[in-house]
Amino acid sequence: MASCSHPSQLISLVYDNELDEARRDEATSQIADCPECAHRLQLLERTHETLSQTLDEEVARVDFSDFWPRIEQGVAAQPVSLTSQWASRFRLWRMQWHAPFSWHVPAWATAVGLFLFTAAVSTQLPTSRGAVQIPATKKPVRVALNNQAQIESLSATSTVLVWNEPTSNATVIWVDEMPGEELP
Amino acid sequence: MAVSDWELVRRCKQDDRQAFQELVERYQRKAVAIALGMLHDREDALEVAQEAFTKVFTSISKFKEESSFYTWLYRIIVNLSIDRQRQRSRRSMFERHPSRGDDDDDWVESIPDTHGLDPSDLVAERERGQHIRAAIDELTPAHKAVILLRAVEGLSYEEISQVLQCSRGTVMSRLHYARKKLQKRLGHDL
Ligand SMILES: [Zn+2]
């Protein structure tokens, strides 16, 4: 057989369908009239056919009836870590919502949320000027809003006074276990 | 219409065993074919394929849909097969592998359909089978993997490069070498 100048890689690329249409057409026309290339191409086909046939026959003799049950057992015997479970759920959640954001967005959102919450709470706290000053010596027992039962039970043993503070709009219950002392 | 691999993988991530079973049944034959090609031992091949599927299930949460499911599965099978082969060669330094013999008894039962075949044809067929198997076994694991993925599974160069984590050029040169070696070794058997 006269030796040809076509690279053997070209035959492989044609056979494996790894060339784009234009290059494939060009290569095919180049090797079409070359007996050596035709022989190489045939040899490639036969090699692949032989291999796949051999493996197909071997696989055909395999009994797959026990294949899945054994995998199921293997999977059941695997320990599942809680972190990986949660990680996979989170990944799935991101995947389902297509995650149109990256990590820094939720981090910023949390930071801003915390700041707003802190600001809201601090503005609601009574200032020292508006707060009701309770002298330490008077031993106040409890401060509650409209707790009638509590007031009645306390008034059996102590002096109880209830009034409304106009500045903070809070109800003050004054309990004095030593009657006769001066009121604030 | 059959459910896509991607959809089954998505369901597996939600711990759906039925979806996993469907994936296993879809790929079990292909998985065993690669393992058999790599290892030439039915028991070893079945064990490797089962181990690969178990690995798939336990690490499915890590699987990113950047590549196809089967390239991921085949990568696991090829790697496990190479590990198994190493273990086997270490073991065979001390004892011969019990399920394999030099006579390759497997090939007695391997002749597919003996009905209507002349006894001399049977012998010829058996000998040819032995030659093909011996030729595959003589390849290195890397060359075996590349030719099996191309000839048996029909993967493209790009997919093979993903499975074997090597360049497209490496796939081409390994494939070229494996084919040449097989053709030289098989000669008239082709
Ligand atoms: Zn030529």
Side-chain angles (χ1 to χ4, degrees), chain A residues 16 18 58 61 91-92, chain B residues 110 133 150 157 168 179:
Chain A
D16 293 327
E18 290 285 340
E58 286 190 33
R61 290 190 300 277
R91 261 193 289 268
L92 197 75
Chain B
S110 79
R133 199 60 243 206
R150 180 71 200 106
Y157 292 178
R168 203 167 169 272
R179 281 165 170 168

Side-chain angles (χ1 to χ4, degrees), chain A residues 93-164:
Chain A
W93 172 81
R94 279 195 71 187
M95 204 171 75
Q96 278 175 340
W97 291 97
H98 299 292
F101 51 78
S102 54
W103 270 109
H104 66 268
V105 178
W108 272 109
T110 313
V112 169
L114 272 171
F115 173 76
L116 289 174
F117 177 76
T118 317
V121 168
S122 61
T123 53
Q124 292 299 309
L125 282 175
T127 59
S128 58
R129 257 189 305 159
V132 182
Q133 298 291 319
I134 300 165
T137 50
K138 300 290 181 187
K139 285 198 280 181
V141 180
R142 198 164 290 165
V143 178
L145 286 172
N146 302 323
N147 197 335
Q148 198 58 42
Q150 191 85 21
I151 295 162
E152 278 167 16
S153 77
L154 283 167
S155 45
T157 54
S158 323
T159 305
V160 179
L161 285 163
V162 181
W163 75 90
N164 213 49

Side-chain angles (χ1 to χ4, degrees), chain A residues 4-6 11 30-31 34-38 40:
Chain A
C4 81
S5 57
H6 303 123
I11 319 287
Q30 263 183 38
I31 61 178
C34 177
E36 193 165 330
C37 283
R40 283 184 196 158

Side-chain angles (χ1 to χ4, degrees), chain B residues 132-167:
Chain B
I132 296 164
R133 199 60 243 206
I136 301 171
D137 290 350
E138 275 177 24
L139 297 172
T140 65
H143 289 116
K144 253 188 237 178
V146 84
I147 192 94
L148 287 167
L149 292 169
R150 180 71 200 106
V152 181
E153 306 295 344
L155 263 58
S156 69
Y157 292 178
E158 183 57 40
E159 287 173 320
I160 298 171
S161 75
Q162 281 171 23
V163 175
L164 303 178
Q165 311 231 280
C166 62
S167 70

Side-chain angles (χ1 to χ4, degrees), chain B residues 81-114:
Chain B
S81 297
I82 293 170
D83 287 348
R84 181 63 65 107
Q85 204 163 18
R86 278 196 200 117
Q87 287 166 10
R88 214 162 60 179
S89 40
R90 272 201 294 270
R91 205 168 44 191
S92 66
M93 284 171 78
F94 304 100
E95 49 169 339
R96 266 191 65 213
H97 198 269
S99 57
R100 289 184 69 195
D102 291 340
D103 297 336
D104 267 311
D105 292 338
D106 256 11
W107 282 100
V108 179
E109 51 168 324
S110 79
I111 297 156
D113 183 9
T114 57

Side-chain angles (χ1 to χ4, degrees), chain A:
Chain A
M1 197 182 291
S3 82
C4 81
S5 57
H6 303 123
S8 55
Q9 284 286 23
L10 192 69
I11 319 287
S12 297
L13 288 168
V14 171
Y15 178 73
D16 293 327
N17 200 20
E18 290 285 340
L19 295 173
D20 57 55
E21 210 177 327
R23 287 175 69 199
R24 192 178 58 235
D25 289 349
E26 192 190 339
T28 311
S29 65
Q30 263 183 38
I31 61 178
D33 300 322
C34 177
E36 193 165 330
C37 283
H39 173 72
R40 283 184 196 158
L41 207 55
Q42 262 187 351
L43 208 56
L44 263 185
E45 273 168 11
R46 285 208 299 270
T47 310
H48 276 223
E49 268 171 27
T50 306
L51 266 180
S52 63
Q53 202 186 333
T54 304
L55 264 303
D56 280 353
E57 282 168 10
E58 286 190 33
V59 173
R61 290 190 300 277
V62 174
D63 177 16
F64 282 95
S65 61
D66 205 24
F67 195 79
W68 165 249
R70 280 170 73 176
I71 291 170
E72 206 177 16
Q73 279 172 15
V75 167
Q78 293 288 321
V80 182
S81 84
L82 274 174
T83 44
S84 73
Q85 257 187 349
W86 279 106
S88 69
R89 276 181 200 174
F90 177 68
R91 261 193 289 268
L92 197 75
W93 172 81
R94 279 195 71 187
M95 204 171 75
Q96 278 175 340
W97 291 97
H98 299 292
F101 51 78
S102 54
W103 270 109
H104 66 268
V105 178
W108 272 109
T110 313
V112 169
L114 272 171
F115 173 76
L116 289 174
F117 177 76
T118 317
V121 168
S122 61
T123 53
Q124 292 299 309
L125 282 175
T127 59
S128 58
R129 257 189 305 159
V132 182
Q133 298 291 319
I134 300 165
T137 50
K138 300 290 181 187
K139 285 198 280 181
V141 180
R142 198 164 290 165
V143 178
L145 286 172
N146 302 323
N147 197 335
Q148 198 58 42
Q150 191 85 21
I151 295 162
E152 278 167 16
S153 77
L154 283 167
S155 45
T157 54
S158 323
T159 305
V160 179
L161 285 163
V162 181
W163 75 90
N164 213 49
E165 273 289 323
T167 47
S168 60
N169 198 29
T171 305
V172 177
I173 304 167
W174 178 269
V175 183
D176 193 343
E177 283 171 306
M178 291 170 73
E181 277 211 12
E182 213 181 314
L183 288 171

Side-chain angles (χ1 to χ4, degrees), chain B:
Chain B
M1 208 178 83
V3 185
S4 68
D5 286 358
W6 193 89
E7 173 60 20
L8 291 174
V9 166
R10 197 189 63 79
R11 280 164 51 190
C12 282
K13 287 184 177 182
Q14 291 170 310
D15 208 24
D16 183 339
R17 300 283 160 113
Q18 212 171 338
F20 179 52
Q21 187 177 356
E22 217 170 313
L23 268 180
V24 169
E25 282 164 3
R26 186 173 288 185
Y27 284 103
Q28 61 187 15
R29 303 188 87 80
K30 285 169 180 287
V32 168
I34 299 173
L36 258 174
M38 296 288 292
L39 296 163
H40 186 190
D41 183 280
R42 210 179 297 169
E43 280 309 304
D44 276 354
L46 277 169
E47 277 176 29
V48 158
Q50 280 159 345
E51 197 185 332
F53 279 114
T54 308
K55 260 186 193 279
V56 160
F57 189 77
T58 51
S59 52
I60 195 102
S61 63
K62 290 176 200 151
F63 173 65
K64 297 182 185 81
E65 284 78 12
E66 288 155 1
S67 61
S68 49
F69 168 75
Y70 58 84
T71 55
W72 183 50
L73 171 70
Y74 296 167
R75 181 158 77 236
I76 298 172
I77 291 167
V78 168
N79 289 339
L80 287 176
S81 297
I82 293 170
D83 287 348
R84 181 63 65 107
Q85 204 163 18
R86 278 196 200 117
Q87 287 166 10
R88 214 162 60 179
S89 40
R90 272 201 294 270
R91 205 168 44 191
S92 66
M93 284 171 78
F94 304 100
E95 49 169 339
R96 266 191 65 213
H97 198 269
S99 57
R100 289 184 69 195
D102 291 340
D103 297 336
D104 267 311
D105 292 338
D106 256 11
W107 282 100
V108 179
E109 51 168 324
S110 79
I111 297 156
D113 183 9
T114 57
H115 298 290
L117 271 179
D118 194 78
S120 59
D121 288 345
L122 273 175
V123 172
E125 189 65 22
R126 188 191 164 192
E127 277 180 1
R128 184 171 176 265
Q130 283 177 347
H131 289 166
I132 296 164
R133 199 60 243 206
I136 301 171
D137 290 350
E138 275 177 24
L139 297 172
T140 65
H143 289 116
K144 253 188 237 178
V146 84
I147 192 94
L148 287 167
L149 292 169
R150 180 71 200 106
V152 181
E153 306 295 344
L155 263 58
S156 69
Y157 292 178
E158 183 57 40
E159 287 173 320
I160 298 171
S161 75
Q162 281 171 23
V163 175
L164 303 178
Q165 311 231 280
C166 62
S167 70
R168 203 167 169 272
T170 307
V171 170
M172 283 170 74
S173 69
R174 281 184 191 169
L175 200 52
H176 183 72
Y177 176 86
R179 281 165 170 168
K180 285 279 158 215
K181 186 140 196 219
L182 282 176
Q183 286 164 4
K184 198 176 167 191
R185 181 71 166 71
L186 292 171
H188 295 297
D189 287 314
L190 284 176

